[in-house]
Amino acid sequence: MTETVKTVVVTGASSGIGEATARRLAADGHRLFLGARRTDRLETLTKEITAEGGTAAFQRLDVTDAVDFQAFISTARDRYGRVDVVVNNAGVMPLSPLEALKTDEWDRMIDVNVRGVLHGIAAALPSMRAQGGGHFVNIASVGAYEISPTAAVYCATKFAVRAISEGLRQESDGDIRVTLVSPGVTESELADSITDATAREAMRTYRAVALPASDIAEAIAYAVSQPSRVDVNEIVVRPAASVQ
Ligand code: NDP
């Protein structure tokens, strides 16, 4: 149980890293407000957290919709009085070679992975500033540091999340903390959205060694638990056996 109870908003909490983060931070005593499109999953997760003595609520959220994100943050604020931490975790990864010209999938990655993070910042930053502090934990990827075939657009979105996070950190007057968490291969549903046969095959080998999502949640919990004078800027977490 942590000494400072915070209101933490987690996007993409219906599976994988977001779900594990919600469970981990609730176990630390924080108040969770969970968003994603699959509300059946959020409802089950919220019930499980509550049954274990934690505090959680949820609302349907599509991070690509700026108005929806504003309403989401507004409900969290109404419910708990303030929003201290936004974990911008929602992401998609439909990998493919550029020459496959899957332009709809490029757009979706840009909309969810980049615009989604910006919408989260736009929705929460003003009230964080007004209340004298707040913390954005943005989930990037090792793809924010390295590029590989079939991952050009995905990596571009994660490079963008890294740039946005560092820019926000530099513009902060010490009141807004920004942490970039970049996972290596982690067990989740992320690769399920790959429609390209080449990329799907390549991922089978690449994703053979994976961390449980709880390992990434642990890194997020570490950043969230630091005293307000400490901003953990970047955390990269790879499986120890990973060569990439
Ligand atoms: P999952 O596919 O398990 O989770 C992705 C989450 O994003 C889901 O909860 C999904 O919920 C949500 N999501 C997708 N689109 C939207 C949307 N438009 N609005 C709101 N939520 C949305 O994958 P991970 O847990 O792995 O992914 C979490 C983050 O971690 C992503 O940003 C990913 O890029 C990053 N990452 C993951 C790695 C891995 O190996 N797993 C490695 C590096 C980075 P729903 O469909 O219900 O809306």
Side-chain angles (χ1 to χ4, degrees), residues 11-19 35-39 41-42 61-65 88-93 108 112-113 139-143 154 158 181-192 207 210 213:
T11 73
S14 57
S15 61
I17 293 167
E19 178 186 339
R37 295 163 306 168
R38 289 171 296 175
T39 48
R41 300 266 198 116
L42 296 180
L61 168 68
D62 184 340
V63 298
T64 67
D65 182 338
N88 276 314
N89 164 74
V92 292
M93 190 189 69
R108 192 150 62 87
V112 177
N113 301 0
I139 310 305
S141 165
V142 290
Y154 179 73
K158 295 303 187 177
V181 175
S182 293
V185 179
T186 305
E187 290 164 6
S188 77
E189 299 172 14
L190 194 67
D192 297 355
R207 297 185 70 80

Side-chain angles (χ1 to χ4, degrees), residues 15-17 91-95 140-143 146 148 150-151 154 158 183-194 198-213 216 237 239 241-244:
S15 61
I17 293 167
V92 292
M93 190 189 69
L95 303 178
S141 165
V142 290
E146 61 198 36
S148 53
T150 76
Y154 179 73
K158 295 303 187 177
V185 179
T186 305
E187 290 164 6
S188 77
E189 299 172 14
L190 194 67
D192 297 355
S193 62
I194 302 174
T198 319
R200 194 181 273 277
E201 194 46 45
M203 275 299 107
R204 238 184 283 276
T205 317
Y206 182 79
R207 297 185 70 80
V209 178
L211 293 173
I216 310 305
V237 186
S242 175
V243 287
Q244 284 91 5

Side-chain angles (χ1 to χ4, degrees), residues 73-113:
I73 292 292
S74 175
T75 310
R77 212 182 303 119
D78 289 348
R79 186 176 185 99
Y80 296 126
R82 53 191 283 133
V83 168
D84 299 297
V85 184
V86 174
V87 182
N88 276 314
N89 164 74
V92 292
M93 190 189 69
L95 303 178
S96 61
L98 288 168
E99 69 174 4
L101 302 182
K102 290 184 180 277
T103 55
D104 288 351
E105 294 185 352
W106 301 350
D107 287 346
R108 192 150 62 87
M109 282 189 276
I110 292 165
D111 286 346
V112 177
N113 301 0

